[in-house]
Short mmCIF file of all heavy atoms in Angstrom, two decimals:
data_model
loop_
_atom_site.label_atom_id
_atom_site.label_comp_id
_atom_site.label_asym_id
_atom_site.label_seq_id
_atom_site.Cartn_x
_atom_site.Cartn_y
_atom_site.Cartn_z
N MET G 64 -87.83 72.88 285.57
CA MET G 64 -86.86 72.04 286.15
C MET G 64 -85.75 72.98 286.85
O MET G 64 -85.08 73.73 286.01
CB MET G 64 -86.27 70.98 285.23
CG MET G 64 -85.45 69.99 285.80
SD MET G 64 -84.92 68.79 284.63
CE MET G 64 -86.32 67.73 284.56
N PRO G 65 -85.44 72.89 288.05
CA PRO G 65 -84.52 73.73 288.67
C PRO G 65 -83.10 73.46 288.12
O PRO G 65 -82.62 72.25 287.97
CB PRO G 65 -84.53 73.34 290.21
CG PRO G 65 -85.55 72.29 290.22
CD PRO G 65 -86.16 71.99 289.09
N ASP G 66 -82.32 74.60 288.06
CA ASP G 66 -80.86 74.42 287.49
C ASP G 66 -80.02 74.67 288.76
O ASP G 66 -79.83 75.90 289.29
CB ASP G 66 -80.56 75.52 286.51
CG ASP G 66 -79.18 75.27 285.99
OD1 ASP G 66 -78.37 74.62 286.60
OD2 ASP G 66 -78.84 76.05 285.19
N PHE G 67 -79.47 73.50 289.37
CA PHE G 67 -78.73 73.69 290.68
C PHE G 67 -77.29 74.34 290.38
O PHE G 67 -76.66 74.51 291.47
CB PHE G 67 -78.67 72.38 291.30
CG PHE G 67 -80.04 71.73 291.65
CD1 PHE G 67 -80.85 70.97 290.83
CD2 PHE G 67 -80.54 72.14 292.86
CE1 PHE G 67 -81.98 70.46 291.18
CE2 PHE G 67 -81.80 71.71 293.30
CZ PHE G 67 -82.57 70.93 292.45
N THR G 68 -77.01 74.53 289.12
CA THR G 68 -75.64 75.07 288.96
C THR G 68 -75.62 76.57 288.74
O THR G 68 -74.62 77.22 288.48
CB THR G 68 -74.95 74.32 287.82
OG1 THR G 68 -75.62 74.62 286.58
CG2 THR G 68 -74.88 72.86 287.98
N ALA G 69 -76.86 77.23 288.73
CA ALA G 69 -77.07 78.54 288.12
C ALA G 69 -76.81 79.57 289.29
O ALA G 69 -76.58 80.79 288.87
CB ALA G 69 -78.41 78.67 287.61
N HIS G 70 -76.70 79.34 290.52
CA HIS G 70 -76.62 80.25 291.58
C HIS G 70 -75.45 80.07 292.49
O HIS G 70 -74.82 79.02 292.42
CB HIS G 70 -78.03 80.24 292.43
CG HIS G 70 -79.22 80.43 291.49
ND1 HIS G 70 -79.68 81.46 290.92
CD2 HIS G 70 -79.98 79.28 291.15
CE1 HIS G 70 -80.63 81.21 290.28
NE2 HIS G 70 -80.96 80.06 290.32
N ARG G 71 -75.14 80.98 293.27
CA ARG G 71 -73.97 80.89 294.22
C ARG G 71 -74.21 79.78 295.29
O ARG G 71 -73.20 79.35 295.88
CB ARG G 71 -73.71 82.26 294.98
CG ARG G 71 -74.84 82.76 295.77
CD ARG G 71 -74.35 84.16 296.33
NE ARG G 71 -75.58 84.77 296.84
CZ ARG G 71 -75.64 85.26 298.17
NH1 ARG G 71 -74.63 85.38 298.83
NH2 ARG G 71 -76.78 85.99 298.58
N HIS G 72 -75.50 79.28 295.48
CA HIS G 72 -75.81 78.17 296.44
C HIS G 72 -76.71 77.36 295.67
O HIS G 72 -77.72 77.82 295.19
CB HIS G 72 -76.20 78.66 297.75
CG HIS G 72 -76.43 77.66 298.74
ND1 HIS G 72 -77.26 76.47 298.59
CD2 HIS G 72 -75.75 77.36 299.86
CE1 HIS G 72 -77.05 75.61 299.69
NE2 HIS G 72 -76.17 76.26 300.50
N PRO G 73 -76.39 76.04 295.69
CA PRO G 73 -77.40 75.09 294.86
C PRO G 73 -78.82 75.22 295.31
O PRO G 73 -79.70 75.09 294.50
CB PRO G 73 -76.82 73.72 295.18
CG PRO G 73 -75.37 73.87 295.49
CD PRO G 73 -75.38 75.22 296.06
N ALA G 74 -79.03 75.40 296.56
CA ALA G 74 -80.58 75.53 297.04
C ALA G 74 -81.19 76.64 296.56
O ALA G 74 -82.47 76.79 296.66
CB ALA G 74 -80.60 75.41 298.59
N LEU G 75 -80.52 77.64 295.99
CA LEU G 75 -81.19 78.85 295.43
C LEU G 75 -81.94 78.56 294.21
O LEU G 75 -82.74 79.37 293.63
CB LEU G 75 -80.13 80.04 295.17
CG LEU G 75 -79.59 80.61 296.53
CD1 LEU G 75 -78.59 81.69 296.05
CD2 LEU G 75 -80.67 81.21 297.41
N ALA G 76 -81.82 77.39 293.68
CA ALA G 76 -82.49 76.84 292.49
C ALA G 76 -84.02 76.66 292.82
O ALA G 76 -84.75 76.64 291.81
CB ALA G 76 -81.86 75.60 292.04
N VAL G 77 -84.40 76.63 294.01
CA VAL G 77 -85.85 76.45 294.45
C VAL G 77 -86.25 77.67 295.19
O VAL G 77 -85.42 78.28 295.79
CB VAL G 77 -86.18 75.08 295.05
CG1 VAL G 77 -85.74 73.93 294.26
CG2 VAL G 77 -85.51 75.06 296.47
N SER G 78 -87.52 77.97 295.19
CA SER G 78 -88.11 79.05 296.06
C SER G 78 -88.18 78.51 297.50
O SER G 78 -88.12 77.26 297.71
CB SER G 78 -89.46 79.52 295.46
OG SER G 78 -90.37 78.44 295.40
N CYS G 79 -88.38 79.44 298.43
CA CYS G 79 -88.30 79.05 299.80
C CYS G 79 -89.69 78.80 300.46
O CYS G 79 -90.46 79.75 300.20
CB CYS G 79 -87.59 80.09 300.69
SG CYS G 79 -87.43 79.53 302.39
N PRO G 80 -90.03 77.69 300.96
CA PRO G 80 -91.34 77.47 301.41
C PRO G 80 -91.60 78.16 302.76
O PRO G 80 -92.78 78.25 303.17
CB PRO G 80 -91.49 75.92 301.61
CG PRO G 80 -90.10 75.46 301.76
CD PRO G 80 -89.26 76.45 300.99
N ILE G 81 -90.56 78.77 303.37
CA ILE G 81 -90.79 79.43 304.69
C ILE G 81 -90.86 80.94 304.42
O ILE G 81 -91.86 81.45 304.91
CB ILE G 81 -89.48 79.14 305.62
CG1 ILE G 81 -89.27 77.63 305.76
CG2 ILE G 81 -89.62 79.77 306.98
CD1 ILE G 81 -90.45 76.94 306.49
N CYS G 82 -89.87 81.64 303.86
CA CYS G 82 -90.00 83.06 303.66
C CYS G 82 -90.57 83.50 302.36
O CYS G 82 -90.88 84.64 302.09
CB CYS G 82 -88.72 83.65 303.90
SG CYS G 82 -87.35 83.32 302.73
N GLY G 83 -90.78 82.49 301.46
CA GLY G 83 -91.22 82.86 300.11
C GLY G 83 -90.45 83.51 299.13
O GLY G 83 -90.81 83.88 298.06
N GLU G 84 -89.11 83.57 299.45
CA GLU G 84 -88.17 84.16 298.45
C GLU G 84 -88.05 83.26 297.22
O GLU G 84 -88.14 82.09 297.24
CB GLU G 84 -86.72 84.30 299.00
CG GLU G 84 -86.59 85.52 299.92
CD GLU G 84 -86.79 86.80 299.22
OE1 GLU G 84 -86.33 86.97 298.02
OE2 GLU G 84 -87.28 87.71 299.85
N ASP G 85 -88.14 83.97 296.07
CA ASP G 85 -88.02 83.25 294.72
C ASP G 85 -86.69 82.60 294.45
O ASP G 85 -85.68 82.92 295.08
CB ASP G 85 -88.39 84.24 293.59
CG ASP G 85 -89.78 84.60 293.55
OD1 ASP G 85 -90.69 83.86 293.96
OD2 ASP G 85 -90.02 85.83 293.10
N CYS G 86 -86.56 81.80 293.44
CA CYS G 86 -85.32 81.16 293.10
C CYS G 86 -84.30 82.35 292.80
O CYS G 86 -84.58 83.36 292.21
CB CYS G 86 -85.52 80.41 291.73
SG CYS G 86 -86.79 79.16 291.74
N GLY G 87 -83.04 82.06 293.21
CA GLY G 87 -82.05 83.00 292.95
C GLY G 87 -81.78 84.13 294.01
O GLY G 87 -80.91 84.84 294.08
N HIS G 88 -82.96 84.18 294.93
CA HIS G 88 -82.88 85.24 295.91
C HIS G 88 -82.60 84.56 297.39
O HIS G 88 -83.27 83.64 297.64
CB HIS G 88 -84.26 85.97 296.02
CG HIS G 88 -84.38 86.82 294.83
ND1 HIS G 88 -84.00 88.04 294.67
CD2 HIS G 88 -84.95 86.51 293.60
CE1 HIS G 88 -84.18 88.38 293.45
NE2 HIS G 88 -84.89 87.52 292.74
N TRP G 89 -81.61 85.06 298.15
CA TRP G 89 -81.37 84.56 299.40
C TRP G 89 -82.50 84.65 300.42
O TRP G 89 -83.33 85.71 300.25
CB TRP G 89 -80.16 85.24 300.05
CG TRP G 89 -79.40 84.48 300.99
CD1 TRP G 89 -79.56 84.66 302.33
CD2 TRP G 89 -78.51 83.49 300.87
NE1 TRP G 89 -78.78 83.70 303.06
CE2 TRP G 89 -78.02 83.08 302.18
CE3 TRP G 89 -77.90 82.84 299.70
CZ2 TRP G 89 -77.11 81.99 302.23
CZ3 TRP G 89 -77.00 81.85 299.94
CH2 TRP G 89 -76.60 81.46 301.26
N CYS G 90 -82.67 83.70 301.36
CA CYS G 90 -83.69 83.91 302.36
C CYS G 90 -83.62 85.08 303.21
O CYS G 90 -82.58 85.68 303.37
CB CYS G 90 -83.63 82.66 303.21
SG CYS G 90 -84.07 80.99 302.52
N ARG G 91 -84.84 85.47 303.78
CA ARG G 91 -85.02 86.71 304.59
C ARG G 91 -85.51 86.22 305.95
O ARG G 91 -86.25 85.35 305.98
CB ARG G 91 -85.91 87.74 303.95
CG ARG G 91 -85.33 88.25 302.63
CD ARG G 91 -85.87 89.72 302.27
NE ARG G 91 -85.00 90.18 301.29
CZ ARG G 91 -83.95 90.90 301.38
NH1 ARG G 91 -83.59 91.39 302.65
NH2 ARG G 91 -83.22 91.29 300.37
N THR G 92 -85.28 87.10 306.87
CA THR G 92 -85.81 86.82 308.30
C THR G 92 -87.15 87.39 308.35
O THR G 92 -87.47 88.04 307.38
CB THR G 92 -84.90 87.52 309.36
OG1 THR G 92 -84.85 88.85 309.15
CG2 THR G 92 -83.46 86.92 309.39
N ARG G 93 -87.83 87.15 309.41
CA ARG G 93 -89.17 87.72 309.65
C ARG G 93 -89.23 89.22 309.56
O ARG G 93 -90.27 89.76 309.05
CB ARG G 93 -89.85 87.22 310.96
CG ARG G 93 -90.64 85.98 310.69
CD ARG G 93 -91.22 85.45 312.00
NE ARG G 93 -90.09 85.07 312.78
CZ ARG G 93 -90.38 84.34 314.04
NH1 ARG G 93 -91.58 84.13 314.30
NH2 ARG G 93 -89.41 84.07 314.74
N ASN G 94 -88.15 89.84 309.92
CA ASN G 94 -88.17 91.35 309.88
C ASN G 94 -87.64 91.93 308.53
O ASN G 94 -87.17 93.13 308.42
CB ASN G 94 -87.41 91.88 311.07
CG ASN G 94 -86.07 91.47 311.23
OD1 ASN G 94 -85.43 91.00 310.23
ND2 ASN G 94 -85.30 91.58 312.32
N GLY G 95 -87.42 91.07 307.69
CA GLY G 95 -87.06 91.41 306.32
C GLY G 95 -85.56 91.46 305.91
O GLY G 95 -85.12 91.92 304.88
N ARG G 96 -84.76 91.20 306.91
CA ARG G 96 -83.30 91.22 306.74
C ARG G 96 -82.84 89.99 306.02
O ARG G 96 -83.43 88.89 306.18
CB ARG G 96 -82.56 91.30 308.03
CG ARG G 96 -82.85 92.68 308.82
CD ARG G 96 -81.85 92.93 309.82
NE ARG G 96 -82.14 94.32 310.31
CZ ARG G 96 -82.00 94.68 311.58
NH1 ARG G 96 -81.56 93.74 312.51
NH2 ARG G 96 -82.32 95.92 311.85
N THR G 97 -81.68 90.07 305.31
CA THR G 97 -81.02 88.92 304.72
C THR G 97 -80.77 87.80 305.80
O THR G 97 -80.08 88.17 306.68
CB THR G 97 -79.81 89.29 303.87
OG1 THR G 97 -80.19 90.21 302.98
CG2 THR G 97 -79.21 88.22 303.11
N ALA G 98 -81.12 86.60 305.76
CA ALA G 98 -80.74 85.59 306.79
C ALA G 98 -79.36 85.13 306.50
O ALA G 98 -78.77 85.23 305.55
CB ALA G 98 -81.69 84.45 306.46
N GLY G 99 -78.83 84.65 307.63
CA GLY G 99 -77.41 84.23 307.66
C GLY G 99 -77.29 82.86 306.87
O GLY G 99 -76.31 82.69 306.15
N ASP G 100 -78.25 82.01 306.99
CA ASP G 100 -78.25 80.86 306.22
C ASP G 100 -79.58 80.61 305.62
O ASP G 100 -80.64 81.29 305.97
CB ASP G 100 -78.14 79.64 307.28
CG ASP G 100 -76.78 79.50 307.86
OD1 ASP G 100 -75.80 79.71 307.03
OD2 ASP G 100 -76.67 79.45 309.08
N LEU G 101 -79.70 79.83 304.56
CA LEU G 101 -80.98 79.41 303.92
C LEU G 101 -81.81 78.65 304.90
O LEU G 101 -81.13 77.98 305.81
CB LEU G 101 -80.71 78.63 302.68
CG LEU G 101 -79.83 79.35 301.56
CD1 LEU G 101 -79.49 78.50 300.48
CD2 LEU G 101 -80.74 80.61 300.97
N HIS G 102 -83.02 78.72 304.86
CA HIS G 102 -83.90 78.00 305.75
C HIS G 102 -83.86 76.53 305.46
O HIS G 102 -83.68 76.01 304.36
CB HIS G 102 -85.38 78.35 305.51
CG HIS G 102 -85.78 79.72 305.97
ND1 HIS G 102 -86.10 80.83 305.23
CD2 HIS G 102 -85.66 80.15 307.25
CE1 HIS G 102 -86.30 81.88 306.07
NE2 HIS G 102 -86.13 81.51 307.19
N ASP G 103 -83.79 75.73 306.48
CA ASP G 103 -83.78 74.24 306.40
C ASP G 103 -84.61 73.60 305.48
O ASP G 103 -84.32 72.75 304.71
CB ASP G 103 -83.73 73.62 307.74
CG ASP G 103 -82.65 73.95 308.68
OD1 ASP G 103 -81.55 74.36 308.21
OD2 ASP G 103 -82.74 73.69 309.92
N ALA G 104 -86.06 74.01 305.49
CA ALA G 104 -86.99 73.51 304.72
C ALA G 104 -86.67 73.76 303.12
O ALA G 104 -87.04 73.01 302.37
CB ALA G 104 -88.33 74.12 305.07
N ARG G 105 -86.07 74.88 302.86
CA ARG G 105 -85.69 75.17 301.41
C ARG G 105 -84.54 74.20 300.97
O ARG G 105 -84.66 73.65 300.01
CB ARG G 105 -85.15 76.56 301.31
CG ARG G 105 -84.90 77.00 299.94
CD ARG G 105 -84.28 78.39 299.89
NE ARG G 105 -84.52 79.02 298.52
CZ ARG G 105 -84.23 80.25 298.30
NH1 ARG G 105 -83.81 80.98 299.31
NH2 ARG G 105 -84.49 80.77 297.06
N GLN G 106 -83.63 73.92 301.90
CA GLN G 106 -82.51 73.00 301.57
C GLN G 106 -83.09 71.58 301.35
O GLN G 106 -82.64 70.94 300.44
CB GLN G 106 -81.47 72.95 302.80
CG GLN G 106 -80.26 72.10 302.49
CD GLN G 106 -79.48 72.60 301.31
OE1 GLN G 106 -78.89 73.77 301.32
NE2 GLN G 106 -79.25 71.74 300.26
N ALA G 107 -84.02 71.22 302.34
CA ALA G 107 -84.72 69.86 302.11
C ALA G 107 -85.47 69.78 300.86
O ALA G 107 -85.32 68.80 300.15
CB ALA G 107 -85.60 69.68 303.31
N GLU G 108 -86.06 70.93 300.46
CA GLU G 108 -86.89 70.85 299.12
C GLU G 108 -85.94 70.76 297.90
O GLU G 108 -86.12 70.08 297.04
CB GLU G 108 -87.79 72.14 298.94
CG GLU G 108 -88.61 72.20 297.73
CD GLU G 108 -89.50 71.00 297.44
OE1 GLU G 108 -89.80 70.21 298.38
OE2 GLU G 108 -89.91 70.90 296.23
N ALA G 109 -84.82 71.61 298.07
CA ALA G 109 -83.79 71.47 297.09
C ALA G 109 -83.20 70.09 296.94
O ALA G 109 -82.97 69.46 295.85
CB ALA G 109 -82.66 72.43 297.28
N ASP G 110 -82.86 69.43 298.11
CA ASP G 110 -82.31 68.00 298.04
C ASP G 110 -83.46 67.08 297.37
O ASP G 110 -82.99 66.27 296.52
CB ASP G 110 -82.11 67.54 299.54
CG ASP G 110 -80.94 68.19 300.09
OD1 ASP G 110 -80.15 68.90 299.42
OD2 ASP G 110 -80.81 68.09 301.35
N ARG G 111 -84.72 67.35 297.78
CA ARG G 111 -85.71 66.35 297.15
C ARG G 111 -85.74 66.53 295.61
O ARG G 111 -85.78 65.53 294.87
CB ARG G 111 -87.13 66.71 297.68
CG ARG G 111 -88.17 65.69 297.45
CD ARG G 111 -89.50 66.18 297.89
NE ARG G 111 -90.02 67.47 297.12
CZ ARG G 111 -90.50 67.26 295.79
NH1 ARG G 111 -90.56 66.10 295.29
NH2 ARG G 111 -90.78 68.31 295.20
N GLN G 112 -85.64 67.73 295.07
CA GLN G 112 -85.87 68.04 293.65
C GLN G 112 -84.53 67.57 292.91
O GLN G 112 -84.55 67.12 291.90
CB GLN G 112 -86.16 69.47 293.45
CG GLN G 112 -87.49 69.84 293.85
CD GLN G 112 -88.11 71.09 293.22
OE1 GLN G 112 -87.85 71.52 292.13
NE2 GLN G 112 -88.79 71.79 294.08
N PHE G 113 -83.44 67.72 293.67
CA PHE G 113 -82.08 67.41 293.16
C PHE G 113 -82.07 65.87 292.86
O PHE G 113 -81.79 65.38 291.78
CB PHE G 113 -80.96 67.80 294.05
CG PHE G 113 -79.67 67.46 293.49
CD1 PHE G 113 -79.02 68.20 292.45
CD2 PHE G 113 -79.04 66.27 293.88
CE1 PHE G 113 -77.70 67.94 292.01
CE2 PHE G 113 -77.73 65.84 293.41
CZ PHE G 113 -77.13 66.81 292.41
N ILE G 114 -82.57 65.10 293.93
CA ILE G 114 -82.58 63.63 293.81
C ILE G 114 -83.56 63.19 292.72
O ILE G 114 -83.26 62.27 291.92
CB ILE G 114 -82.91 62.98 295.16
CG1 ILE G 114 -81.75 63.20 296.17
CG2 ILE G 114 -83.20 61.57 294.95
CD1 ILE G 114 -82.07 62.94 297.49
N GLU G 115 -84.75 63.89 292.66
CA GLU G 115 -85.71 63.60 291.53
C GLU G 115 -85.18 63.79 290.14
O GLU G 115 -85.34 63.02 289.30
CB GLU G 115 -86.91 64.44 291.98
CG GLU G 115 -88.12 64.06 291.04
CD GLU G 115 -89.32 65.01 291.35
OE1 GLU G 115 -89.87 64.76 292.51
OE2 GLU G 115 -89.57 65.99 290.62
N GLN G 116 -84.33 64.79 290.15
CA GLN G 116 -83.76 65.12 288.79
C GLN G 116 -82.52 64.41 288.42
O GLN G 116 -82.39 64.07 287.28
CB GLN G 116 -83.49 66.71 288.73
CG GLN G 116 -83.16 67.28 287.46
CD GLN G 116 -82.94 68.82 287.54
OE1 GLN G 116 -83.39 69.42 288.40
NE2 GLN G 116 -82.03 69.33 286.72
N HIS G 117 -81.67 64.13 289.50
CA HIS G 117 -80.27 63.55 289.11
C HIS G 117 -80.05 62.21 289.59
O HIS G 117 -79.09 61.47 289.32
CB HIS G 117 -79.29 64.49 289.61
CG HIS G 117 -79.23 65.84 288.89
ND1 HIS G 117 -78.73 65.96 287.56
CD2 HIS G 117 -79.58 67.00 289.19
CE1 HIS G 117 -79.02 67.24 287.21
NE2 HIS G 117 -79.43 67.90 288.21
N GLY G 118 -80.95 61.71 290.56
CA GLY G 118 -80.86 60.41 291.16
C GLY G 118 -80.00 60.51 292.42
O GLY G 118 -79.33 61.42 292.83
N TYR G 119 -80.04 59.42 293.20
CA TYR G 119 -79.54 59.24 294.62
C TYR G 119 -77.91 59.32 294.52
O TYR G 119 -77.31 59.69 295.45
CB TYR G 119 -79.95 58.06 295.35
CG TYR G 119 -81.22 58.19 296.08
CD1 TYR G 119 -82.36 57.61 295.46
CD2 TYR G 119 -81.28 59.01 297.16
CE1 TYR G 119 -83.59 57.81 296.07
CE2 TYR G 119 -82.54 59.05 297.85
CZ TYR G 119 -83.69 58.46 297.20
OH TYR G 119 -84.94 58.64 297.90
N GLY G 120 -77.33 58.90 293.46
CA GLY G 120 -75.93 58.80 293.38
C GLY G 120 -75.18 60.12 293.02
O GLY G 120 -74.05 60.21 293.02
N ALA G 121 -76.02 61.15 292.63
CA ALA G 121 -75.31 62.34 292.27
C ALA G 121 -75.06 63.38 293.34
O ALA G 121 -75.52 63.10 294.46
CB ALA G 121 -76.30 63.09 291.29
N ALA G 122 -74.08 64.30 293.06
CA ALA G 122 -73.71 65.18 294.11
C ALA G 122 -73.42 66.47 293.49
O ALA G 122 -73.12 66.52 292.35
CB ALA G 122 -72.59 64.65 294.97
N MET G 123 -73.47 67.55 294.23
CA MET G 123 -73.05 68.86 293.74
C MET G 123 -71.57 68.99 294.05
O MET G 123 -71.09 68.63 295.27
CB MET G 123 -73.66 69.98 294.41
CG MET G 123 -75.12 70.10 294.12
SD MET G 123 -75.60 70.25 292.26
CE MET G 123 -74.89 71.89 292.01
N VAL G 124 -70.74 69.54 293.12
CA VAL G 124 -69.34 69.78 293.42
C VAL G 124 -69.07 71.17 293.20
O VAL G 124 -69.56 71.79 292.12
CB VAL G 124 -68.48 68.90 292.37
CG1 VAL G 124 -67.01 69.11 292.54
CG2 VAL G 124 -68.75 67.53 292.69
N HIS G 125 -68.22 71.93 293.96
CA HIS G 125 -67.88 73.22 293.83
C HIS G 125 -66.54 73.34 293.12
O HIS G 125 -65.59 72.99 293.68
CB HIS G 125 -67.92 74.05 295.12
CG HIS G 125 -67.98 75.57 294.92
ND1 HIS G 125 -67.00 76.40 295.30
CD2 HIS G 125 -68.89 76.31 294.26
CE1 HIS G 125 -67.22 77.49 294.92
NE2 HIS G 125 -68.49 77.61 294.36
N ALA G 126 -66.59 73.83 291.90
CA ALA G 126 -65.27 74.01 291.15
C ALA G 126 -64.93 75.36 290.94
O ALA G 126 -65.73 76.35 291.34
CB ALA G 126 -65.49 73.25 289.75
N ALA G 127 -63.81 75.70 290.33
CA ALA G 127 -63.37 77.15 290.19
C ALA G 127 -64.42 77.89 289.37
O ALA G 127 -64.64 79.08 289.58
CB ALA G 127 -62.01 77.14 289.50
N SER G 128 -65.08 77.14 288.48
CA SER G 128 -65.99 77.81 287.43
C SER G 128 -67.37 77.93 288.05
O SER G 128 -68.28 78.61 287.56
CB SER G 128 -65.99 76.96 286.18
OG SER G 128 -66.53 75.76 286.40
N GLY G 129 -67.57 77.40 289.23
CA GLY G 129 -68.98 77.36 289.89
C GLY G 129 -69.47 76.00 290.34
O GLY G 129 -68.70 75.07 290.33
N TRP G 130 -70.72 75.80 290.49
CA TRP G 130 -71.30 74.50 290.91
C TRP G 130 -71.41 73.60 289.67
O TRP G 130 -71.94 74.04 288.66
CB TRP G 130 -72.54 74.61 291.53
CG TRP G 130 -72.51 75.27 292.88
CD1 TRP G 130 -72.67 76.63 293.18
CD2 TRP G 130 -72.13 74.70 294.18
NE1 TRP G 130 -72.46 76.89 294.56
CE2 TRP G 130 -72.19 75.61 295.22
CE3 TRP G 130 -71.71 73.32 294.46
CZ2 TRP G 130 -71.93 75.33 296.52
CZ3 TRP G 130 -71.49 72.99 295.72
CH2 TRP G 130 -71.54 74.05 296.78
N LEU G 131 -71.11 72.34 289.84
CA LEU G 131 -71.23 71.28 288.81
C LEU G 131 -72.03 70.17 289.51
O LEU G 131 -71.99 69.87 290.54
CB LEU G 131 -69.81 70.78 288.36
CG LEU G 131 -68.88 71.76 287.76
CD1 LEU G 131 -67.56 71.09 287.57
CD2 LEU G 131 -69.42 72.37 286.45
N VAL G 132 -72.79 69.46 288.57
CA VAL G 132 -73.44 68.13 289.04
C VAL G 132 -72.39 67.11 288.66
O VAL G 132 -72.12 66.91 287.58
CB VAL G 132 -74.80 67.93 288.34
CG1 VAL G 132 -75.43 66.67 288.77
CG2 VAL G 132 -75.69 69.08 288.58
N ASP G 133 -72.10 66.33 289.76
CA ASP G 133 -71.25 65.05 289.53
C ASP G 133 -72.27 63.88 289.55
O ASP G 133 -72.76 63.50 290.69
CB ASP G 133 -70.28 64.89 290.63
CG ASP G 133 -69.38 63.61 290.36
OD1 ASP G 133 -69.76 62.77 289.65
OD2 ASP G 133 -68.40 63.55 291.13
N PRO G 134 -72.63 63.17 288.45
CA PRO G 134 -73.59 62.20 288.42
C PRO G 134 -73.33 60.97 289.35
O PRO G 134 -74.26 60.35 289.76
CB PRO G 134 -73.69 61.70 287.01
CG PRO G 134 -72.95 62.69 286.17
CD PRO G 134 -71.95 63.40 287.13
N ARG G 135 -72.09 60.80 289.75
CA ARG G 135 -71.73 59.68 290.51
C ARG G 135 -71.05 60.02 291.83
O ARG G 135 -70.39 59.19 292.47
CB ARG G 135 -70.87 58.61 289.68
CG ARG G 135 -71.37 58.23 288.34
CD ARG G 135 -71.98 56.82 288.29
NE ARG G 135 -71.13 55.80 288.98
CZ ARG G 135 -71.63 54.98 289.67
NH1 ARG G 135 -72.99 54.79 289.87
NH2 ARG G 135 -70.95 54.02 290.41
N GLY G 136 -71.14 61.27 292.18
CA GLY G 136 -70.51 61.85 293.32
C GLY G 136 -70.63 61.16 294.60
O GLY G 136 -69.70 61.02 295.44
N CYS G 137 -71.82 60.80 294.93
CA CYS G 137 -72.13 60.08 296.19
C CYS G 137 -71.90 58.63 296.08
O CYS G 137 -71.56 57.97 297.06
CB CYS G 137 -73.63 60.31 296.51
SG CYS G 137 -74.00 61.90 297.16
N ALA G 138 -71.82 58.11 295.00
CA ALA G 138 -71.61 56.59 294.79
C ALA G 138 -70.18 56.28 295.14
O ALA G 138 -69.90 55.15 295.60
CB ALA G 138 -72.06 56.21 293.40
N ARG G 139 -69.32 57.27 294.97
CA ARG G 139 -67.85 56.95 295.15
C ARG G 139 -67.54 56.98 296.72
O ARG G 139 -66.47 56.36 297.09
CB ARG G 139 -67.08 58.03 294.50
CG ARG G 139 -66.79 57.62 293.02
CD ARG G 139 -65.67 58.43 292.47
NE ARG G 139 -66.01 59.90 292.51
CZ ARG G 139 -66.62 60.52 291.54
NH1 ARG G 139 -67.02 59.93 290.38
NH2 ARG G 139 -66.83 61.84 291.67
N ASP G 140 -68.24 57.74 297.51
CA ASP G 140 -67.91 58.01 298.94
C ASP G 140 -68.28 56.70 299.81
O ASP G 140 -69.18 55.95 299.46
CB ASP G 140 -68.56 59.12 299.44
CG ASP G 140 -68.04 60.45 298.77
OD1 ASP G 140 -66.95 60.37 298.23
OD2 ASP G 140 -68.81 61.39 298.77
ZN1 ZN S 1460 -86.41 81.16 303.24
#
């Protein structure tokens, strides 16, 4: 089960279906350089697994200590 609070970006909790980078490793471009942004498909997969794990009402919150899961974060907005 992915831990969305363990990395500097929540989507790093899943591997990338585009460039194949493992959990915790930033996406790479086709020529092997570090990508500026994570691939959209990785973000989508992270969203899908986050909702599966925490439900539609949950959201990620960035606090001073790092990322936290707010179980009702989306429900309040
Ligand atoms: Zn990628």
Side-chain angles (χ1 to χ4, degrees):
M64 190 176 279
D66 181 354
F67 294 95
T68 65
H70 308 285
R71 64 186 162 129
H72 190 292
L75 292 176
V77 300
S78 59
C79 183
I81 303 298
C82 65
E84 281 296 323
D85 288 331
C86 302
H88 296 272
W89 200 264
C90 284
R91 295 203 169 268
T92 63
R93 271 181 289 193
N94 61 16
R96 294 198 174 141
T97 302
D100 290 313
L101 297 173
H102 288 116
D103 290 342
R105 186 183 205 174
Q106 184 65 60
E108 177 61 12
D110 288 349
R111 189 188 69 74
Q112 291 194 39
F113 181 82
I114 291 167
E115 190 177 283
Q116 189 175 329
H117 296 286
Y119 279 103
M123 294 301 298
V124 179
H125 196 242
S128 58
W130 289 100
L131 304 171
V132 175
D133 180 347
R135 307 254 322 134
C137 286
R139 280 194 297 270
D140 294 337

